[in-house]
Amino acid sequence: FMENTILSNKKIHQATVLAYRGEQKVAELSKGGMTCDSPFFIASISKLYTHAMTFALIDKQLLAYTSRLVDLLPADKVGCLPNAKEVTVRHLVDQTSGFANHELDKLPDGSVLFEEVLRHDRAVDVAESLRLVAALPPKGKPGSRAYYADINALLLGEICETLTGKTLPALLAETICQPLGLKNTHYCTADENNITPIYNGSHAAFWLKYLSVQMAQGGIVATNHELMQFLQAFMRGQLFSKNHLTHPDFRRIQFIPLKYGSGMMQLKIPRILSPFFPAPEIIGHSGSSGSFAFYCLSKNIFITGTINQLQHRPFAAIYRVINKV
């Protein structure tokens, strides 16, 4: 019954949803042949993994929130970014660096990178990403406001690699997959062949070349079971000190009504704006592919999954499940 109503939208071709109240599974839904063991692109939820690695480095005192970007990465790499000297790790984690969103903001030539990649899949490497951000005006002084931009997580990934002398795949395995026993979580490669496609409307969109170089900000492939394991470990402070999440300062980002703070998205819709079903506070992350990993504090419910659809946001489905269980 739940599946029929929650995943009934015709735009959703394939989906998987998993919900736990504490340790107990309370919902498992799927559509289009997907299961909780089907590998899928978690897209921007990958940022939570990057933030977990960053928090662990702070715990080891290899890094501090006050560490400056220009002291952590070579000047020839990051010196061209606007206000680079003022940007700290805290700004990158909180999306308050002021850097523009080089994927979704209009570029100087009037094009939008994300739309271009959807039409013609290609790799956009770190150097090109930095060049594109450097060419865009900043969205404010570092720390003045939150503006969601992939470059923040990209830079944190570069910092993690530089400080440890290890690659992101090695760090993912060592700091997250091995401690949690995750066997199927990995960074996407350009030759992946068994991953559930993401739909752009009615068309299956394959952008493997693009995703395979978007590691720290959006390149992870996981199954729903493993995403759930990771989300619970993240929220419970099993991978780093829980202090990192104790007092998030959530600030509004450009994707209203989402807010961002302490490396997480927050969504809370007042009852007056959501008269038909309650929308209590959830914290976690979503991705442009329709992926989601959130924790509802007031009900102690963890919910993860994907609707694999670029043209449809997953929040209505998330709240329907939370209110049903």
Side-chain angles (χ1 to χ4, degrees):
F1 164 71
M2 217 174 180
E3 256 154 74
N4 296 347
T5 54
I6 287 165
L7 300 175
S8 62
N9 188 310
K10 286 189 173 64
K11 277 188 183 164
I12 301 173
H13 304 284
Q14 293 181 299
T16 168
V17 180
L18 197 53
Y20 275 71
R21 183 183 281 114
E23 301 288 336
Q24 185 195 0
K25 183 162 73 174
V26 289
E28 183 173 342
L29 322 176
S30 58
K31 185 176 181 177
M34 269 193 99
T35 71
C36 284
D37 292 314
S38 303
F40 65 95
F41 298 108
I42 70 168
S44 280
I45 302 171
S46 304
K47 293 180 175 72
L48 287 184
Y49 294 67
T50 304
H51 296 146
M53 293 177 201
T54 305
F55 296 156
L57 289 178
I58 293 172
D59 292 341
K60 288 180 180 159
Q61 298 183 329
L62 291 170
L63 193 59
Y65 280 116
T66 51
S67 303
R68 295 189 321 153
L69 176 62
V70 290
D71 297 331
L72 296 164
L73 294 176
D76 59 351
K77 200 173 210 174
V78 297
C80 61
L81 296 172
N83 304 312
K85 287 186 172 146
E86 297 162 49
V87 175
T88 65
V89 168
R90 170 56 82 186
H91 297 140
L92 299 175
V93 168
D94 283 351
Q95 302 278 353
T96 55
S97 64
F99 296 144
N101 185 322
H102 70 288
E103 288 188 308
L104 297 174
D105 292 349
K106 211 167 247 176
L107 297 171
D109 67 1
S111 67
V112 175
L113 180 63
F114 193 64
E115 291 170 5
E116 181 205 314
V117 169
L118 280 180
R119 282 193 299 272
H120 178 70
D121 182 27
R122 69 176 180 89
V124 177
D125 63 13
V126 172
E128 184 180 355
S129 298
L130 291 168
R131 202 163 58 246
L132 291 172
V133 174
L136 290 165
K139 296 293 174 178
K141 284 272 186 202
S144 64
R145 59 176 285 209
Y147 191 81
Y148 182 87
D150 270 13
I151 197 71
N152 294 308
L154 180 153
L155 289 166
L156 287 172
E158 293 289 304
I159 289 166
C160 289
E161 287 193 326
T162 304
L163 282 182
T164 60
K166 294 173 180 168
T167 64
L168 278 176
L171 287 169
L172 179 68
E174 197 179 294
T175 59
I176 294 168
C177 295
Q178 284 159 14
L180 299 180
L182 308 182
K183 302 270 190 285
N184 301 299
T185 299
H186 62 277
Y187 287 108
C188 162
T189 58
D191 55 4
E192 300 267 353
N193 56 15
N194 67 335
I195 297 177
T196 313
I198 298 163
Y199 283 84
N200 183 16
S202 56
H203 304 286
F206 287 96
W207 13 301
L208 284 170
K209 289 177 190 162
Y210 183 68
L211 284 169
S212 65
V213 289
Q214 301 298 304
M215 294 165 69
Q217 61 272 37
I220 289 178
V221 170
T223 64
N224 205 357
H225 278 137
E226 294 200 352
L227 180 58
M228 175 60 74
Q229 271 179 274
F230 169 77
L231 177 68
Q232 291 183 333
F234 184 95
M235 292 299 170
R236 290 170 178 157
Q238 284 167 241
L239 299 164
F240 48 80
S241 162
K242 213 172 169 189
N243 294 342
H244 295 287
L245 308 182
T246 44
H247 298 293
D249 176 15
F250 291 117
R251 304 190 203 195
R252 185 172 291 129
I253 54 173
Q254 68 269 41
F255 308 121
I256 293 163
L258 287 171
K259 293 183 175 182
Y260 214 96
S262 297
M264 301 178 293
M265 287 179 173
Q266 182 232 35
L267 182 60
K268 182 167 63 171
I269 304 170
R271 198 59 204 260
I272 193 164
L273 297 179
S274 178
F276 300 110
F277 54 85
E281 180 184 24
I282 54 174
I283 58 172
H285 224 288
S286 66
S288 60
S289 59
S291 57
F292 51 90
F294 283 96
Y295 177 52
C296 178
L297 298 86
S298 60
K299 295 176 184 281
N300 191 26
I301 290 173
F302 298 89
I303 181 162
T304 59
T306 186
I307 57 170
N308 280 320
Q309 176 58 266
L310 292 175
Q311 293 186 13
H312 196 61
R313 291 171 93 180
F315 298 109
I318 291 169
Y319 277 125
R320 283 198 189 105
V321 172
I322 288 171
N323 289 317
K324 278 273 197 319
V325 302

